[in-house]
Amino acid sequence: MSQILSGAPVPASRTSPLSPRSSRRGLASVQALPLDEILIGDCVAHMMSLPEQSVDVIFADPPYNLQLEGALLRPDQSRVDAVDDEWDQFASFEAYDAFTRAWLLAARRLLKPNGTIWVIGSYHNIFRVGTSLQDLGFWMLNDVVWVKSNPMPNFRGRRFANAHETLIWASKDRDAKGYTFNYHALKAFNDDLQMRSDWTLPICSGGERLKGEDGLKVHPTQKPEALLYRVLLASSNPGDVVLDPFFGTGTTGVVAKRLDRRFIGIERDETYAAAAHARIAAVEPAPRLSLGVVMGKRAAPRIPFGSLIEAGLIAPGSELMCSRGRHRALVRADGTLQSGEHIGSIHRVGALVQGFDACNGWTFWHLDRGRGPEPIDALRDIMRTPMQAAE
């Protein structure tokens, strides 16, 4: 269950929300992470109050600085519900750049060394944000184009219909190692095709779009849950902490709760925060057993061949064979194989019997346990399962 917290009064800021911690404790005294809470107030001040290097992923949907001039009308002269709120208005590009650098510096301080940040924007602001990211030392990993399958038309007919937004995905710095990218999970999600950087998804509409009693949108730029689902699936794992400094109506929190991630939302508009709180409270998390993330072999726990002997999955004296039965080898008590005059590791002997320089012994050698020959890699998976369940 999320909570809405309020801290000591802070100066108004253009960062979409900051939150409250407790009326009895100022922001400066914040020690622990306010997990699954919505902080009301200035986002930079709130971020600076949180512990350094405490966040796994940041998703930021900052003001676009659309620079709208007057009302936007349809051909029938009806008014378009566009982004004309005060929080999206800046006096100049210089003011917007200063705002961007301030919240990005606070974000960089919060990211763990292997953490990553996502920033979404339109052509009005994303290039300026990208420049600030690079100037501050972030390292670009990808730009992702969100292609809107049902974009709003260009009513004035003077430009192309704006049918996409851009997401920048970046690590904390160029030398960052071990950041989360669930490549294999995304590939399975995409019918065993490598996930590309162009995502075709509809804009938020229908029952997902929050509307007030007056029938108008609660928030003008509410993002679709499908977009955040893909972002968090790609770059986080169950239990990770996700920060959204421009929380709005809480799409990040909704998806984080559903996927067993912990979230921290910052929002300066109490109306948005209240809508987000109610929305998140209604979310049913996915069953915990369904939340595992498919990993590649390299990311799985390392299992030496000798461990299979220690565990009794392969006994010394067992005979291994290749898939076609052309080559056979005897398992020795010390974890080596012997095939004729060749003695060595499963990889070394596999290479020697074929006359190759290298061989993946886990897939080359097979064992018949009464059901026909199967790769010894299947035995390694048996040992990995309880290890991964304990993590």
Side-chain angles (χ1 to χ4, degrees), residues 25-356:
R25 293 181 294 171
L27 290 174
S29 66
V30 175
Q31 298 297 325
L33 285 175
L35 296 177
D36 304 328
E37 296 175 358
I38 305 171
L39 309 178
I40 304 298
D42 177 83
C43 71
V44 174
H46 272 291
M47 285 194 283
M48 293 305 294
S49 75
L50 300 176
E52 292 185 43
Q53 299 186 13
S54 58
V55 171
D56 297 289
V57 180
I58 294 174
F59 178 83
D61 183 10
Y64 291 177
N65 192 24
L66 293 182
Q67 311 143 56
L68 293 179
E69 298 178 358
L72 182 60
L73 303 177
R74 297 183 177 88
D76 63 3
Q77 298 305 300
S78 61
R79 184 186 178 96
V80 176
D81 188 10
V83 184
D84 54 6
D85 303 77
E86 181 274 335
W87 52 257
D88 193 59
Q89 298 171 11
F90 293 81
S92 65
F93 286 133
E94 291 76 13
Y96 186 81
D97 292 345
F99 154 74
T100 298
R101 289 179 64 88
W103 74 260
L104 282 177
L105 280 168
R108 197 166 191 275
R109 172 184 168 274
L110 286 180
L111 276 179
K112 294 178 181 178
N114 61 346
T116 58
I117 182 171
W118 294 80
V119 186
I120 186 171
S122 71
Y123 65 89
H124 300 88
N125 71 322
I126 196 64
F127 303 108
R128 308 191 78 87
V129 173
T131 296
S132 292
L133 279 164
Q134 291 183 314
D135 287 347
L136 294 175
F138 289 93
W139 187 252
M140 303 294 194
L141 298 173
N142 274 112
D143 69 326
V144 173
V145 178
W146 167 30
V147 180
K148 301 175 182 180
S149 58
N150 54 341
M152 180 183 294
N154 184 278
F155 294 106
R156 291 176 177 169
R158 298 177 182 173
R159 304 180 184 180
F160 297 108
N162 185 21
H164 77 277
E165 291 186 33
T166 300
L167 297 92
I168 295 174
W169 182 42
S171 60
K172 190 170 182 178
D173 54 55
R174 180 174 186 168
D175 298 324
K177 305 296 183 184
Y179 60 84
T180 296
F181 178 53
N182 294 316
Y183 169 82
H184 293 278
L186 287 172
K187 188 173 180 181
F189 183 88
N190 198 38
D191 290 341
D192 288 332
L193 295 175
Q194 186 177 59
M195 183 68 75
R196 296 167 26 142
S197 62
D198 52 339
W199 300 352
T200 301
L201 299 167
I203 62 174
C204 185
S205 60
E208 187 181 328
R209 167 66 78 171
L210 299 187
K211 294 186 178 180
E213 295 181 359
D214 57 3
L216 298 178
K217 302 171 185 175
V218 173
H219 193 290
T221 63
Q222 180 182 335
K223 294 300 179 289
E225 293 176 17
L227 181 69
L228 269 297
Y229 193 101
R230 195 169 296 188
V231 164
L232 295 188
L233 181 66
S235 58
S236 69
N237 293 305
D240 280 357
V241 177
V242 182
L243 170 72
D244 186 336
F246 308 98
F247 202 57
T249 52
T251 302
T252 300
V254 167
V255 177
K257 182 178 179 181
R258 186 169 291 138
L259 294 179
D260 193 31
R261 276 65 165 167
R262 311 301 299 273
F263 72 86
I264 301 171
I266 303 176
E267 177 53 57
R268 74 172 188 173
D269 187 300
E270 294 188 10
T271 299
Y272 295 163
H277 175 71
R279 182 182 175 199
I280 294 168
V283 172
E284 289 292 333
R288 190 169 295 271
L289 288 177
S290 70
L291 293 171
V293 176
V294 174
M295 296 189 300
K297 294 293 186 182
R298 292 183 180 181
R302 182 177 180 276
I303 305 293
F305 179 71
S307 296
L308 303 184
I309 299 174
E310 291 175 335
L313 294 175
I314 293 181
S318 299
E319 184 180 60
L320 304 183
M321 66 198 75
C322 68
S323 60
R324 297 183 180 181
R326 294 178 180 177
H327 305 289
R328 297 178 182 272
L330 182 73
V331 177
R332 292 157 50 100
D334 63 358
T336 59
L337 301 186
Q338 180 172 356
S339 180
E341 61 182 13
H342 304 304
I343 297 176
S345 71
I346 57 173
H347 311 296
R348 179 63 177 160
V349 173
L352 289 172
V353 298
Q354 299 177 87
F356 295 163

